[in-house]
Amino acid sequence: MSDFLIENIPLTKEWLAELIEIKIGVKPKIGTIPQNTKGCSVVENAGGGVKNVDHSVVERFMHNTECNYYKLFSSLSEKPLQIPTTYLASKAGEKAPVPVIVLEMLEDCKLHDLIPGFNEDQLFKIVDELVKLHIFSLTTEKWKEIVPDESKLAMSGFLQCMVADVGRKLAQNPELGVILSYVENTLDTDPNYLQKMRDEYINEERPSVICHGDLWAPQILWDKEDNIAGIVDWQATHRGSPMEDLHHILSTCTSVQNRKTFTKPLLDHYYNKLKVGLKEKGFKTTWTREEIDIEYNYSFIYGASRTIFANGFWANSPVLQTDGKPDPERIKESFVRCKSYLEDTIRELNII
């Protein structure tokens, strides 16, 4: 049996065992880690036009971003929210022969499936974690020292084009024609449409917080009591709107009825918890309750783009499959959520 953690990657089980021993004082037994390389082909099948992209550049900026935030969180005396302990977050050429992140294994945890989606109680627990992250963001400055990866900034225009291409392919489905109206009246009007919105937060024209950037069902681990045990995969983390991650959860990970029923109560809960938490730390509330609604509506644009890309990706991946085959019922439910959310985006922002 090979001593490598992953075949053809120069990281040994002994290296990892010694690393963890330094951290916890006990040398564990290490198994082999399976490798998944399907991501790029899935995006290509979704219509994302990735053939001309250097995938190593994408992998590098995603890994470097995740390293930056895990390093930030591990440097704190107290975690700002539920995240695994970080044993190592190494970029290329740092503390390991290859880029690698080693995290605590959260045992006896479960994931909630995307299609049944989150219920009311789970949605409020997710908002509680977002409040913790945002209180940290609004009461500290160290996180603002993290500079976006230059290669990511350079690819911002391409990423918008990829979303638009995925949207046009999805819009070929009769039930998703609304996507084309969105793409033509937003992304197609300006090649830097989304980046200009992002710049408002980077340049502090609008108050910003740490956004997870890819918060959906598989990134949230739940314990036996159905409390959040950890949030993982911080590869797309960035400065942005306090409403961005909530939009992604509500547009993709719960039913249309739940989204429409619980959005206002969730925003009320978010505001009240944020206000109390900031006051306890000696800070004034950053937004009024009315400004939270304004920020939520403003974030529909970015939320819609991410929802389009997610549905294009998932429809061509195991996410919406059963027994290795596309599941029409799972795909239908995901598309129903996407359509409803895009319709609300167009109505709320008066996109014609």
Side-chain angles (χ1 to χ4, degrees):
M1 183 178 291
S2 172
D3 190 44
F4 289 120
L5 284 167
I6 304 172
E7 286 304 316
N8 302 317
I9 302 295
L11 295 175
T12 66
K13 299 173 186 176
E14 180 66 16
W15 168 83
L16 180 57
E18 291 177 353
L19 175 71
I20 296 176
E21 183 180 20
I22 293 172
K23 190 81 172 183
I24 66 175
V26 177
K27 191 171 186 177
K29 183 178 180 180
I30 305 295
T32 301
I33 301 172
Q35 191 170 14
N36 184 353
T37 59
K38 296 181 179 180
C40 292
S41 62
V42 170
V43 176
E44 185 174 328
N45 291 336
V50 298
K51 291 182 178 179
N52 298 322
V53 178
D54 184 345
H55 302 312
S56 66
V57 173
V58 178
E59 292 170 357
R60 183 168 62 250
F61 79 63
M62 293 182 73
H63 176 80
N64 289 349
T65 297
E66 191 167 25
C67 279
N68 287 336
Y69 284 93
Y70 275 130
K71 286 178 179 179
L72 170 68
F73 297 147
S74 65
S75 71
L76 305 173
S77 57
E78 183 178 348
K79 297 176 183 177
L81 75 167
Q82 291 294 102
I83 51 176
T85 297
T86 304
Y87 296 125
L88 180 67
S90 176
K91 300 178 184 179
E94 290 187 338
K95 297 181 179 180
V98 294
V100 63
I101 295 173
V102 182
L103 301 176
E104 166 193 15
M105 179 177 177
L106 298 177
E107 298 185 280
D108 298 322
C109 288
K110 62 187 176 184
L111 299 175
H112 288 294
D113 184 66
L114 174 73
I115 294 306
F118 295 125
N119 61 31
E120 178 182 3
D121 183 58
Q122 292 155 358
L123 289 171
F124 276 87
K125 289 177 179 177
I126 292 169
V127 168
D128 285 341
E129 292 302 306
L130 291 177
V131 169
K132 294 177 189 177
L133 180 62
H134 298 172
I135 289 173
F136 170 76
S137 302
L138 296 168
T139 59
T140 61
E141 295 291 325
K142 186 176 180 180
W143 68 276
K144 294 181 180 179
E145 298 173 5
I146 297 176
V147 178
D149 191 281
E150 290 185 5
S151 57
K152 181 178 181 180
L153 293 175
M155 291 186 66
S156 61
F158 169 78
L159 294 174
Q160 177 175 313
C161 288
M162 186 164 63
V163 171
D165 288 345
V166 170
R168 277 185 275 271
K169 185 169 183 178
L170 276 177
Q172 294 173 11
N173 296 282
E175 67 270 29
L176 293 179
V178 65
I179 293 178
L180 193 59
S181 296
Y182 168 80
V183 170
E184 289 178 343
N185 289 283
T186 56
L187 308 185
D188 285 351
T189 65
D190 184 342
N192 296 310
Y193 194 93
L194 295 178
Q195 188 57 48
K196 286 179 179 178
M197 292 185 66
R198 180 70 59 79
D199 287 344
E200 293 181 25
Y201 298 98
I202 294 174
N203 299 331
E204 300 188 341
E205 297 168 34
R206 303 177 75 94
S208 63
V209 298
I210 297 173
C211 296
H212 179 282
D214 190 27
L215 192 64
W216 65 297
Q219 322 292 38
I220 306 173
L221 285 70
W222 303 79
D223 65 20
K224 293 179 179 179
E225 286 72 43
D226 212 32
N227 293 314
I228 295 178
I231 295 176
V232 297
D233 287 355
W234 297 78
Q235 300 171 346
T237 306
H238 58 271
R239 293 180 69 165
S241 168
M243 296 292 102
E244 184 180 318
D245 288 328
L246 180 58
H247 265 287
H248 200 47
I249 289 290
L250 291 176
S251 66
T252 60
C253 299
T254 195
S255 67
V256 171
Q257 181 178 352
N258 280 353
R259 178 173 65 82
K260 291 181 178 291
T261 300
F262 298 124
T263 294
K264 184 182 183 302
L266 287 167
L267 294 179
D268 289 340
H269 181 73
Y270 172 86
Y271 174 75
N272 292 331
K273 295 276 286 190
L274 183 73
K275 183 177 180 179
V276 171
L278 288 174
K279 184 177 180 180
E280 289 176 350
K281 291 183 174 291
F283 287 78
K284 294 181 179 180
T285 309
T286 308
W287 301 272
T288 65
R289 177 63 186 85
E290 292 73 21
E291 288 170 339
I292 290 293
D293 284 336
I294 293 171
E295 187 65 31
Y296 183 83
N297 287 341
Y298 187 74
S299 298
F300 262 111
I301 288 289
Y302 200 70
S305 296
R306 294 180 61 204
T307 298
I308 290 168
F309 181 79
N311 274 270
F313 186 92
W314 296 340
N316 291 276
S317 79
V319 173
L320 297 178
Q321 294 178 357
T322 298
D323 297 328
K325 298 179 181 179
D327 186 324
E329 291 303 312
R330 290 177 66 82
I331 294 172
K332 179 181 178 181
E333 172 59 24
S334 190
F335 283 6
V336 164
R337 296 174 189 179
C338 181
K339 176 185 177 182
S340 175
Y341 183 81
L342 265 292
E343 289 173 341
D344 286 353
T345 299
I346 289 172
R347 182 177 60 255
E348 291 294 335
L349 299 180
N350 196 28
I351 297 172
I352 300 174

